Amino acid sequence: MKEGLTEVFKAIGKQLASEKSVVIFGHVNPDGDAIGSTLGLYHYLKTKVAEVLVIVPNNFPGFLKWMPDNEKILQFDSQTKLAADAITKADLVFYCDFNDPKRVEKMNEIAKSASAIKIMIDHHPDPVNFAEYMISDISVSSTSELIYEFISFLEGGNLSGKEIADCLLTGIITDTGMFNHNSETRRTFEIVADLMSMGADKKLIVQKIYNEYPFDRMLLLGDALYSKFKFYPEFSTSFIYLSEDDLKKHNHQMGDTEGFVNVALSVAGAKFSALFIEKDDHVKISLRSNGKFDVNLFARKYYHGGGHRNASGGKSYESLNNTVDKFVQLIEEHQDEIASS
Protein backbone atom coordinates (compact mmCIF):
# COMPACT_ATOMS: atom_id res chain seq x y z
CA MET A 1 0.00 0.00 0.00
CA LYS A 2 1.21 3.48 -0.87
CA GLU A 3 2.95 5.40 1.91
CA GLY A 4 0.98 8.27 3.39
CA LEU A 5 -2.46 6.74 2.93
CA THR A 6 -2.79 6.00 6.63
CA GLU A 7 -3.03 9.75 7.32
CA VAL A 8 -5.90 9.98 4.84
CA PHE A 9 -7.53 6.93 6.46
CA LYS A 10 -7.25 8.62 9.84
CA ALA A 11 -8.84 11.84 8.57
CA ILE A 12 -11.76 9.96 7.01
CA GLY A 13 -12.19 7.99 10.22
CA LYS A 14 -12.70 11.29 12.07
CA GLN A 15 -15.38 12.25 9.54
CA LEU A 16 -17.15 8.97 10.27
CA ALA A 17 -16.80 9.29 14.04
CA SER A 18 -20.13 11.08 14.42
CA GLU A 19 -23.30 9.62 12.95
CA LYS A 20 -23.50 10.47 9.24
CA SER A 21 -25.62 9.86 6.19
CA VAL A 22 -23.34 8.11 3.71
CA VAL A 23 -23.78 7.30 0.02
CA ILE A 24 -21.40 4.96 -1.82
CA PHE A 25 -21.09 5.32 -5.60
CA GLY A 26 -20.11 2.56 -8.01
CA HIS A 27 -19.32 3.28 -11.65
CA VAL A 28 -21.50 2.83 -14.73
CA ASN A 29 -21.82 -0.79 -15.94
CA PRO A 30 -20.59 -2.08 -12.57
CA ASP A 31 -18.22 -5.05 -12.55
CA GLY A 32 -17.19 -7.42 -9.78
CA ASP A 33 -14.80 -4.99 -8.10
CA ALA A 34 -17.29 -2.11 -8.27
CA ILE A 35 -20.03 -4.19 -6.60
CA GLY A 36 -17.64 -6.03 -4.29
CA SER A 37 -15.92 -2.89 -3.00
CA THR A 38 -19.11 -0.86 -2.55
CA LEU A 39 -21.00 -3.66 -0.80
CA GLY A 40 -17.98 -4.51 1.33
CA LEU A 41 -17.81 -0.89 2.51
CA TYR A 42 -21.59 -0.84 2.92
CA HIS A 43 -21.59 -3.86 5.23
CA TYR A 44 -18.91 -2.24 7.36
CA LEU A 45 -20.54 1.19 7.57
CA LYS A 46 -24.11 0.01 8.18
CA THR A 47 -23.23 -0.60 11.84
CA LYS A 48 -21.19 2.61 12.15
CA VAL A 49 -23.35 5.39 10.69
CA ALA A 50 -26.99 6.44 10.78
CA GLU A 51 -27.72 5.69 7.14
CA VAL A 52 -25.75 4.19 4.25
CA LEU A 53 -26.77 3.41 0.67
CA VAL A 54 -25.00 2.09 -2.42
CA ILE A 55 -25.99 3.75 -5.70
CA VAL A 56 -24.87 2.75 -9.21
CA PRO A 57 -25.83 4.40 -12.51
CA ASN A 58 -27.42 1.29 -14.03
CA ASN A 59 -27.96 -2.44 -13.70
CA PHE A 60 -25.18 -4.96 -13.05
CA PRO A 61 -24.61 -8.56 -14.22
CA GLY A 62 -26.72 -11.39 -12.90
CA PHE A 63 -23.66 -13.37 -11.79
CA LEU A 64 -23.12 -10.76 -9.05
CA LYS A 65 -26.68 -10.84 -7.73
CA TRP A 66 -26.02 -13.54 -5.16
CA MET A 67 -23.93 -11.13 -3.07
CA PRO A 68 -25.29 -10.17 0.37
CA ASP A 69 -27.67 -7.17 0.18
CA ASN A 70 -27.13 -6.67 -3.56
CA GLU A 71 -30.90 -6.12 -3.83
CA LYS A 72 -30.56 -2.97 -1.68
CA ILE A 73 -28.36 -1.24 -4.26
CA LEU A 74 -30.19 1.67 -5.90
CA GLN A 75 -29.96 1.92 -9.69
CA PHE A 76 -30.07 5.57 -10.69
CA ASP A 77 -31.57 5.04 -14.14
CA SER A 78 -34.63 3.23 -12.76
CA GLN A 79 -34.82 4.66 -9.21
CA THR A 80 -33.85 8.24 -10.00
CA LYS A 81 -35.86 10.12 -7.36
CA LEU A 82 -34.88 7.84 -4.48
CA ALA A 83 -31.23 7.98 -5.51
CA ALA A 84 -31.21 11.75 -6.10
CA ASP A 85 -32.81 12.43 -2.70
CA ALA A 86 -30.21 10.25 -0.98
CA ILE A 87 -27.33 12.00 -2.73
CA THR A 88 -28.71 15.46 -1.90
CA LYS A 89 -28.99 14.79 1.83
CA ALA A 90 -25.77 12.79 2.22
CA ASP A 91 -22.98 14.03 4.50
CA LEU A 92 -20.35 11.87 2.82
CA VAL A 93 -20.12 10.38 -0.67
CA PHE A 94 -17.60 7.61 -1.38
CA TYR A 95 -16.54 7.18 -5.02
CA CYS A 96 -15.37 3.56 -5.31
CA ASP A 97 -13.48 1.87 -8.16
CA PHE A 98 -13.23 4.90 -10.45
CA ASN A 99 -11.20 8.09 -10.39
CA ASP A 100 -13.10 10.39 -12.73
CA PRO A 101 -16.58 11.58 -11.68
CA LYS A 102 -17.75 11.29 -15.29
CA ARG A 103 -17.90 7.53 -14.64
CA VAL A 104 -21.17 7.98 -12.72
CA GLU A 105 -22.73 10.01 -15.53
CA LYS A 106 -25.89 11.92 -14.45
CA MET A 107 -25.32 11.08 -10.78
CA ASN A 108 -22.32 13.39 -10.82
CA GLU A 109 -24.42 16.47 -11.64
CA ILE A 110 -26.41 15.96 -8.45
CA ALA A 111 -23.32 15.16 -6.38
CA LYS A 112 -21.54 18.32 -7.63
CA SER A 113 -24.31 20.56 -6.31
CA ALA A 114 -24.71 18.64 -3.03
CA SER A 115 -22.91 19.66 0.15
CA ALA A 116 -21.49 16.19 0.85
CA ILE A 117 -17.79 15.67 1.48
CA LYS A 118 -16.36 13.57 -1.35
CA ILE A 119 -14.03 10.61 -0.79
CA MET A 120 -12.42 8.70 -3.66
CA ILE A 121 -11.08 5.15 -3.22
CA ASP A 122 -9.59 3.69 -6.38
CA HIS A 123 -6.65 1.83 -7.95
CA HIS A 124 -6.67 3.10 -11.56
CA PRO A 125 -3.94 5.40 -12.91
CA ASP A 126 -4.23 9.14 -13.62
CA PRO A 127 -6.91 10.20 -11.11
CA VAL A 128 -8.86 13.43 -11.56
CA ASN A 129 -8.47 15.71 -8.55
CA PHE A 130 -12.13 16.16 -7.59
CA ALA A 131 -12.53 14.89 -4.00
CA GLU A 132 -11.65 16.27 -0.59
CA TYR A 133 -10.03 12.93 0.28
CA MET A 134 -8.19 10.87 -2.35
CA ILE A 135 -7.22 7.26 -1.68
CA SER A 136 -5.42 6.27 -4.87
CA ASP A 137 -2.95 3.40 -5.21
CA ILE A 138 -2.26 1.70 -8.54
CA SER A 139 -0.02 -0.92 -6.94
CA VAL A 140 -2.92 -2.86 -5.38
CA SER A 141 -4.93 -5.59 -7.09
CA SER A 142 -8.31 -3.93 -6.83
CA THR A 143 -10.37 -1.30 -5.08
CA SER A 144 -11.64 -4.10 -2.85
CA GLU A 145 -8.08 -4.54 -1.58
CA LEU A 146 -7.93 -0.83 -0.75
CA ILE A 147 -11.28 -1.04 1.05
CA TYR A 148 -9.86 -3.91 3.10
CA GLU A 149 -6.84 -1.77 4.05
CA PHE A 150 -9.10 1.15 4.95
CA ILE A 151 -11.47 -0.88 7.14
CA SER A 152 -8.60 -2.81 8.72
CA PHE A 153 -6.91 0.47 9.68
CA LEU A 154 -10.09 1.84 11.23
CA GLU A 155 -10.56 -1.38 13.20
CA GLY A 156 -6.96 -1.59 14.39
CA GLY A 157 -6.32 -4.69 12.29
CA ASN A 158 -9.20 -6.61 13.90
CA LEU A 159 -11.46 -6.94 10.89
CA SER A 160 -14.41 -9.34 11.05
CA GLY A 161 -17.63 -10.17 9.23
CA LYS A 162 -18.42 -12.84 6.63
CA GLU A 163 -20.52 -10.44 4.52
CA ILE A 164 -17.64 -7.98 4.25
CA ALA A 165 -15.25 -10.82 3.47
CA ASP A 166 -17.41 -12.36 0.71
CA CYS A 167 -17.86 -9.00 -1.01
CA LEU A 168 -14.21 -7.95 -0.88
CA LEU A 169 -12.92 -11.35 -1.99
CA THR A 170 -15.33 -11.22 -4.93
CA GLY A 171 -13.83 -7.88 -5.96
CA ILE A 172 -10.28 -9.18 -5.71
CA ILE A 173 -11.00 -12.43 -7.57
CA THR A 174 -12.80 -10.69 -10.45
CA ASP A 175 -10.37 -7.80 -10.89
CA THR A 176 -7.40 -10.15 -10.96
CA GLY A 177 -9.13 -12.65 -13.24
CA MET A 178 -8.63 -15.34 -10.58
CA PHE A 179 -5.11 -13.99 -9.93
CA ASN A 180 -3.99 -14.00 -13.55
CA HIS A 181 -3.18 -10.27 -13.45
CA ASN A 182 -2.92 -7.33 -11.01
CA SER A 183 -1.80 -9.79 -8.34
CA GLU A 184 1.98 -9.64 -8.22
CA THR A 185 2.37 -8.62 -4.57
CA ARG A 186 2.51 -10.79 -1.51
CA ARG A 187 0.13 -8.41 0.27
CA THR A 188 -2.77 -9.36 -2.02
CA PHE A 189 -2.52 -12.99 -0.96
CA GLU A 190 -2.15 -12.06 2.72
CA ILE A 191 -5.41 -10.15 2.43
CA VAL A 192 -7.09 -13.06 0.64
CA ALA A 193 -5.97 -15.39 3.43
CA ASP A 194 -7.40 -13.04 6.05
CA LEU A 195 -10.70 -12.71 4.19
CA MET A 196 -11.00 -16.49 4.07
CA SER A 197 -10.27 -16.69 7.79
CA MET A 198 -13.16 -14.22 8.22
CA GLY A 199 -15.45 -16.70 6.47
CA ALA A 200 -15.25 -15.70 2.81
CA ASP A 201 -16.39 -18.66 0.71
CA LYS A 202 -13.90 -18.81 -2.18
CA LYS A 203 -15.50 -21.94 -3.64
CA LEU A 204 -18.94 -20.31 -3.75
CA ILE A 205 -17.58 -17.08 -5.26
CA VAL A 206 -15.79 -18.90 -8.07
CA GLN A 207 -18.82 -21.11 -8.69
CA LYS A 208 -21.24 -18.17 -8.94
CA ILE A 209 -19.01 -16.02 -11.13
CA TYR A 210 -17.27 -18.48 -13.42
CA ASN A 211 -19.20 -21.76 -13.36
CA GLU A 212 -22.90 -20.89 -13.66
CA TYR A 213 -23.15 -19.38 -17.13
CA PRO A 214 -26.56 -19.24 -18.84
CA PHE A 215 -26.91 -21.62 -21.79
CA ASP A 216 -27.52 -18.69 -24.17
CA ARG A 217 -24.22 -17.18 -23.08
CA MET A 218 -22.37 -20.37 -23.96
CA LEU A 219 -24.01 -20.41 -27.40
CA LEU A 220 -22.98 -16.77 -27.89
CA LEU A 221 -19.38 -17.59 -27.01
CA GLY A 222 -19.38 -20.60 -29.34
CA ASP A 223 -20.80 -18.51 -32.18
CA ALA A 224 -18.28 -15.73 -31.48
CA LEU A 225 -15.32 -18.11 -31.58
CA TYR A 226 -16.59 -19.84 -34.70
CA SER A 227 -17.46 -16.82 -36.84
CA LYS A 228 -16.39 -13.57 -35.14
CA PHE A 229 -12.89 -14.41 -33.90
CA LYS A 230 -9.78 -13.18 -35.70
CA PHE A 231 -6.12 -13.91 -35.00
CA TYR A 232 -3.24 -12.06 -36.63
CA PRO A 233 -0.11 -14.01 -35.61
CA GLU A 234 2.13 -11.55 -37.45
CA PHE A 235 0.84 -8.84 -35.08
CA SER A 236 0.56 -11.11 -31.99
CA THR A 237 -3.05 -9.95 -31.71
CA SER A 238 -6.49 -11.57 -31.57
CA PHE A 239 -9.96 -10.10 -31.27
CA ILE A 240 -13.68 -10.85 -31.19
CA TYR A 241 -16.32 -8.55 -32.70
CA LEU A 242 -20.05 -8.83 -32.03
CA SER A 243 -22.89 -6.93 -33.67
CA GLU A 244 -26.23 -6.07 -32.09
CA ASP A 245 -27.77 -8.83 -34.20
CA ASP A 246 -25.26 -11.36 -32.80
CA LEU A 247 -26.30 -10.38 -29.29
CA LYS A 248 -30.03 -10.51 -30.00
CA LYS A 249 -29.67 -13.91 -31.65
CA HIS A 250 -28.52 -15.37 -28.34
CA ASN A 251 -30.78 -13.41 -25.97
CA HIS A 252 -27.85 -11.37 -24.63
CA GLN A 253 -28.09 -10.26 -21.00
CA MET A 254 -25.81 -7.84 -19.18
CA GLY A 255 -22.58 -9.61 -18.26
CA ASP A 256 -22.85 -12.37 -20.87
CA THR A 257 -19.73 -11.17 -22.73
CA GLU A 258 -17.68 -10.85 -19.54
CA GLY A 259 -14.39 -12.65 -20.06
CA PHE A 260 -14.63 -12.99 -23.85
CA VAL A 261 -11.63 -10.69 -24.29
CA ASN A 262 -9.58 -12.99 -22.05
CA VAL A 263 -10.60 -15.99 -24.15
CA ALA A 264 -9.22 -14.16 -27.20
CA LEU A 265 -5.94 -13.55 -25.37
CA SER A 266 -5.60 -17.25 -24.51
CA VAL A 267 -4.70 -18.30 -28.05
CA ALA A 268 -1.03 -19.30 -28.34
CA GLY A 269 1.03 -16.43 -29.73
CA ALA A 270 -1.36 -13.65 -28.75
CA LYS A 271 0.06 -10.85 -26.61
CA PHE A 272 -2.76 -8.38 -27.21
CA SER A 273 -6.52 -8.95 -27.51
CA ALA A 274 -9.66 -6.92 -28.01
CA LEU A 275 -13.41 -7.33 -27.82
CA PHE A 276 -15.69 -5.09 -29.88
CA ILE A 277 -19.40 -4.97 -29.02
CA GLU A 278 -21.84 -2.93 -31.08
CA LYS A 279 -24.20 -0.70 -29.08
CA ASP A 280 -26.92 1.74 -30.17
CA ASP A 281 -24.63 4.75 -30.49
CA HIS A 282 -21.09 3.42 -30.09
CA VAL A 283 -18.87 0.36 -30.09
CA LYS A 284 -17.77 -0.79 -26.65
CA ILE A 285 -14.13 -1.92 -26.60
CA SER A 286 -12.28 -4.09 -24.08
CA LEU A 287 -8.51 -4.52 -24.34
CA ARG A 288 -6.09 -6.97 -22.70
CA SER A 289 -2.37 -7.70 -22.91
CA ASN A 290 -0.14 -10.25 -21.21
CA GLY A 291 3.17 -8.44 -21.39
CA LYS A 292 4.54 -4.91 -21.29
CA PHE A 293 2.30 -3.51 -24.03
CA ASP A 294 0.31 -0.76 -22.30
CA VAL A 295 -3.35 -1.06 -23.27
CA ASN A 296 -4.21 1.80 -20.92
CA LEU A 297 -2.22 4.20 -23.11
CA PHE A 298 -3.63 2.57 -26.26
CA ALA A 299 -7.20 3.05 -25.03
CA ARG A 300 -6.56 6.65 -24.01
CA LYS A 301 -4.97 7.51 -27.34
CA TYR A 302 -7.47 5.89 -29.69
CA TYR A 303 -10.68 5.03 -27.82
CA HIS A 304 -11.59 7.77 -25.30
CA GLY A 305 -10.88 5.28 -22.52
CA GLY A 306 -8.33 4.00 -20.06
CA GLY A 307 -7.78 1.56 -17.24
CA HIS A 308 -4.74 -0.55 -16.33
CA ARG A 309 -1.59 -1.41 -18.24
CA ASN A 310 -2.84 -4.93 -19.05
CA ALA A 311 -6.60 -4.40 -18.84
CA SER A 312 -8.41 -1.41 -20.26
CA GLY A 313 -11.32 -0.29 -22.36
CA GLY A 314 -12.97 2.50 -24.30
CA LYS A 315 -15.43 3.42 -27.02
CA SER A 316 -15.50 4.03 -30.74
CA TYR A 317 -18.14 6.25 -32.32
CA GLU A 318 -17.67 4.78 -35.79
CA SER A 319 -19.48 1.73 -37.18
CA LEU A 320 -18.46 -1.73 -36.02
CA ASN A 321 -16.89 -2.55 -39.39
CA ASN A 322 -14.92 0.71 -39.53
CA THR A 323 -13.81 0.26 -35.93
CA VAL A 324 -12.48 -3.23 -36.64
CA ASP A 325 -10.78 -2.16 -39.89
CA LYS A 326 -9.02 0.73 -38.16
CA PHE A 327 -7.98 -1.56 -35.30
CA VAL A 328 -6.22 -3.85 -37.78
CA GLN A 329 -4.38 -0.81 -39.13
CA LEU A 330 -3.39 0.21 -35.61
CA ILE A 331 -2.00 -3.18 -34.63
CA GLU A 332 0.08 -3.20 -37.78
CA GLU A 333 1.48 0.21 -36.79
CA HIS A 334 2.18 -1.01 -33.24
CA GLN A 335 3.32 -4.54 -34.12
CA ASP A 336 6.92 -3.99 -32.92
CA GLU A 337 5.74 -2.73 -29.52
CA ILE A 338 3.30 -5.62 -29.14
CA ALA A 339 5.80 -8.27 -30.24
CA SER A 340 8.53 -7.01 -27.91
CA SER A 341 6.27 -6.89 -24.87
Side-chain angles (χ1 to χ4, degrees):
M1 187 178 65
K2 185 190 294 183
E3 291 184 15
L5 285 183
T6 54
E7 291 304 312
V8 184
F9 290 169
K10 190 181 299 183
I12 298 170
K14 289 180 180 178
Q15 292 288 344
L16 290 167
S18 58
E19 288 193 348
K20 299 278 186 180
S21 176
V22 176
V23 164
I24 305 168
F25 283 173
H27 58 70
V28 68
N29 300 325
D31 57 10
D33 194 24
I35 299 299
S37 63
T38 55
L39 279 179
L41 183 59
Y42 164 85
H43 283 293
Y44 174 71
L45 291 179
K46 70 181 183 181
T47 63
K48 305 291 182 181
V49 299
E51 184 177 12
V52 58
L53 284 169
V54 176
I55 306 176
V56 295
N58 60 342
N59 199 6
F60 51 97
F63 61 76
L64 298 173
K65 291 186 176 178
W66 59 272
M67 297 174 69
D69 283 351
N70 79 86
E71 71 281 357
K72 295 181 180 178
I73 296 175
L74 293 183
Q75 296 173 30
F76 187 84
D77 60 353
S78 60
Q79 298 169 291
T80 306
K81 188 177 188 310
L82 275 174
D85 289 346
I87 296 167
T88 300
K89 72 176 185 178
D91 298 305
L92 301 174
V93 175
F94 284 85
Y95 293 68
C96 292
D97 198 38
F98 62 101
N99 59 20
D100 186 332
K102 292 178 182 177
R103 294 278 283 145
V104 289
E105 300 184 335
K106 293 178 182 179
M107 288 162 52
N108 185 49
E109 295 305 311
I110 299 170
K112 280 197 300 186
S113 60
S115 59
I117 294 170
K118 299 175 180 63
I119 301 164
M120 187 203 81
I121 306 180
D122 182 63
H123 73 128
H124 296 90
D126 306 313
V128 174
N129 189 8
F130 69 93
E132 283 84 354
Y133 297 99
M134 304 275 286
I135 299 173
S136 177
D137 187 353
I138 65 172
S139 70
V140 302
S141 71
S142 54
T143 297
S144 292
E145 183 173 326
L146 270 179
I147 295 291
Y148 171 92
E149 298 283 20
F150 173 60
I151 297 174
S152 182
F153 175 83
L154 295 183
E155 291 300 301
N158 298 313
L159 187 55
S160 62
K162 175 175 169 49
E163 291 177 326
I164 295 173
D166 276 333
C167 293
L168 296 185
L169 185 55
T170 298
I172 293 172
I173 285 175
T174 54
D175 236 36
T176 62
M178 287 199 292
F179 309 103
N180 283 314
H181 49 262
N182 296 345
S183 53
E184 287 79 22
T185 70
R186 174 178 175 175
R187 181 60 178 161
T188 297
F189 293 95
E190 291 173 345
I191 290 170
V192 168
D194 194 37
L195 292 173
M196 292 179 67
S197 73
M198 290 165 55
D201 191 337
K202 181 181 74 68
K203 184 177 180 180
L204 174 68
I205 293 168
V206 171
Q207 178 67 27
K208 290 292 185 181
I209 293 172
Y210 297 110
N211 296 324
E212 290 188 3
Y213 293 130
F215 183 61
D216 282 334
R217 188 262 188 191
M218 301 304 287
L219 292 178
L220 175 61
L221 176 58
D223 199 2
L225 292 175
Y226 181 72
S227 61
K228 297 300 179 74
F229 178 46
K230 299 293 184 182
F231 176 44
Y232 289 79
E234 66 272 31
F235 305 142
S236 306
T237 300
S238 59
F239 62 87
I240 294 170
Y241 59 102
L242 295 169
S243 69
E244 287 188 290
D245 286 341
D246 294 325
L247 301 179
K248 290 175 183 175
K249 177 182 175 183
H250 296 294
N251 190 31
H252 174 263
Q253 303 296 312
M254 175 175 272
D256 280 355
T257 58
E258 190 78 22
F260 281 21
V261 67
N262 298 315
V263 174
L265 189 61
S266 67
V267 64
K271 295 185 176 183
F272 180 31
S273 70
L275 172 66
F276 302 95
I277 301 175
E278 186 178 40
K279 302 289 187 180
D280 286 339
D281 60 351
H282 68 278
V283 176
K284 180 184 176 184
I285 302 168
S286 299
L287 304 170
R288 297 291 185 272
S289 66
N290 58 15
K292 296 178 182 178
F293 185 66
D294 194 328
V295 296
N296 171 49
L297 295 179
F298 193 87
R300 287 177 179 274
K301 185 173 182 179
Y302 299 114
Y303 297 125
H304 317 279
H308 301 287
R309 185 185 71 183
N310 297 120
S312 192
K315 295 178 180 179
S316 166
Y317 294 97
E318 298 194 41
S319 69
L320 178 61
N321 287 339
N322 285 349
T323 298
V324 169
D325 288 344
K326 289 192 175 182
F327 179 74
V328 175
Q329 295 173 16
L330 288 172
I331 60 176
E332 183 174 5
E333 292 173 14
H334 289 271
Q335 61 179 303
D336 291 341
E337 296 169 56
I338 299 169
S340 64
S341 67

